[in-house]
Amino acid sequence: MSVDGSLAAGKRYERSEDEQRSRQQETRQLEGRIATILRTGVVLAAVLLTMALPWIVVQDRSHRSHRLSIGEALRLLPAFDPRALAAVGVIILVATPILQLLASAFLFWRKRDRLYLGLTLLVCAIVAAGALLTSGGH
Amino acid sequence: MNFTPGFEVTILFGAVAAGLLGALMGLGGGVLIIPMLTALGVDIRHAIAASIVAVIATSCGAASSYVRDGLANIRIGIFLCVATTTGALLGAGLNGLLPVRALFLIFAAVLGWSGVVMFRKRNRSVTRFEPAEGAPGGRLRLAGRFYDPALARERRYAPKRPALGFGLMIGAGTVSGLLGIGSGALKVPAMDVAMDLPIKVSTATSNFMIGITGLASALVYLQRGQVMVSLVAPIALGVLAGATVGTRILPKVAASTIRSWFVVVLAVIVAQMLYKGVVG
């Protein structure tokens, strides 16, 4: 721990204060970008779902027993079915954390933080492994 | 399934309430949505799949504000996400294997435990040990700082016992994948109690992680065809609306107030889930 501390102090001495400040600013900016990605994905999905919702309510009342999964609804996209629109919204929602992960990886890459870049990529790999394993099972 | 007219409208409003409370308590809101949907006669497996998508929506919405305000600690979030995503895959796999009654009982047990932990600590003071300026927070560099409007100053923090936190997060991730909840109910205590992080940082970081954890299991549920459009649309929308409001309120609410609400809400749901698990 004390070795860690003195190493950090040495590094701090080498790096000018200006450099540190601009780095901190960059981190803040990149964090801001992650926030923007999250917000954009969610807003886009919300718009699609809001557009589709009234139609879903009406359609579902006419044939209640017929409930569609996302995959089935996506196949109705060429017919401009509102349920397909909602399905696209759901896909965008699910894709948003993927972008969140990629943006975090970029943030750590810019900060030259290898440990956390590695950890972020490891999380991506775990998520991908799950998706691939399930599709393999069907 | 026999739904009453206005079913979608009912769940839309229920979802707004769930999102609002969820954001205030660091939950994805799934914990409140699933009991509501099953009470309305929805198959618990469909409820779980719809909930996990809504949970992603809430957590991404909330996380965007927390990341911008510097409340969420991205390093802690990514570190613990290694554990939660691993658990999530395990849980989503188990979901297809366990009987429905077991799902209800596990749900009740998980929430009961969270409630007990939070209740014990509800009166803990917000002032506690603060690490020295420039403390590295161990080899993982997990230390951070945030501005606390309730104290009107910046607070530093350095997490303790990251290994214990990591282990608990595997469990939290499993529960998240299994029950379609963000399992903020487990993530927040794991960070707050085990790692001794300030509750607001725990809440914000939990939201950062829930979307990523949910992603892991949502992909599994999507491929299984378990996510139903007519359930997901009103739920995701309602939760989003509620969460947006909740996130605005959170920085202004005292930490002990958040804890007390959390406990009351959990007690009600635990009773309901236990009943369903035992009586069927």
Side-chain angles (χ1 to χ4, degrees), chain B residues 18 21-22 25 27-38 51-52 55 107 110-111 114 175 179-186 262 265-266 268-270 272-273:
Chain B
L21 286 170
M25 300 183 296
L27 307 167
V31 131
L32 309 172
I33 287 165
I34 291 167
M36 182 187 78
L37 287 178
T38 53
S51 164
I52 199 69
V55 158
F107 204 107
V110 163
L111 291 187
S114 317
V175 171
L179 301 179
I181 59 178
S183 80
L186 294 180
F262 192 93
V265 172
L266 289 192
V268 174
I269 298 170
V270 165
Q272 190 204 348
M273 293 284 108

Side-chain angles (χ1 to χ4, degrees), chain B:
Chain B
M1 282 186 276
N2 193 14
F3 301 124
T4 52
F7 172 73
E8 282 87 0
V9 180
T10 312
I11 56 179
L12 180 68
F13 282 108
V16 170
L20 179 68
L21 286 170
L24 283 179
M25 300 183 296
L27 307 167
V31 131
L32 309 172
I33 287 165
I34 291 167
M36 182 187 78
L37 287 178
T38 53
L40 288 168
V42 176
D43 182 334
I44 189 170
R45 289 190 214 279
H46 289 167
I48 283 170
S51 164
I52 199 69
V53 175
V55 158
I56 292 176
T58 342
S59 99
C60 287
S64 76
S65 321
Y66 292 141
V67 168
R68 206 192 41 231
D69 299 344
L71 262 182
N73 185 322
I74 297 182
R75 277 212 189 100
I76 295 180
I78 290 291
F79 168 63
L80 295 176
C81 265
V82 175
T84 57
T85 49
T86 307
L89 294 187
L90 211 68
L94 278 176
N95 176 280
L97 304 174
L98 290 175
V100 165
R101 273 172 126 185
L103 292 180
F104 278 115
L105 287 176
I106 295 170
F107 204 107
V110 163
L111 291 187
W113 164 249
S114 317
V116 168
V117 172
M118 297 300 267
F119 184 74
R120 273 207 212 128
K121 296 182 66 105
R122 74 196 181 287
N123 288 325
R124 195 179 56 182
S125 155
V126 285
T127 55
R128 69 172 100 175
F129 170 76
E130 279 189 40
E133 180 80 49
R139 209 179 305 162
L140 289 161
R141 292 172 280 121
L142 295 173
R145 56 177 69 202
F146 71 102
Y147 180 77
D148 191 340
L151 295 178
R153 68 180 174 86
E154 198 169 67
R155 284 181 66 196
R156 289 187 299 278
Y157 60 88
K160 296 172 188 161
R161 299 180 288 270
L164 176 63
F166 191 89
L168 289 173
M169 285 298 170
I170 295 181
T174 308
V175 171
S176 170
L178 178 65
L179 301 179
I181 59 178
S183 80
L186 294 180
K187 287 189 178 87
V188 175
M191 283 187 274
D192 178 39
V193 182
M195 298 177 72
D196 208 23
L197 287 167
I199 185 144
K200 283 180 185 173
V201 174
S202 306
T203 307
T205 307
S206 162
N207 267 304
F208 179 86
M209 297 163 58
I210 285 170
I212 296 170
T213 311
L215 164 69
S217 44
L219 288 178
V220 174
Y221 288 130
L222 274 173
Q223 281 183 329
R224 276 205 214 130
Q226 231 169 297
V227 185
M228 300 297 160
V229 174
S230 50
L231 279 181
V232 158
I235 287 171
L237 262 184
V239 162
L240 256 179
T244 309
V245 177
T247 311
R248 299 258 155 83
I249 302 173
L250 181 72
K252 292 167 198 141
V253 185
S256 59
T257 318
I258 299 176
R259 271 185 228 276
S260 315
W261 283 27
F262 192 93
V263 170
V264 173
V265 172
L266 289 192
V268 174
I269 298 170
V270 165
Q272 190 204 348
M273 293 284 108
L274 267 181
Y275 178 81
K276 290 217 176 189
V278 175
V279 180

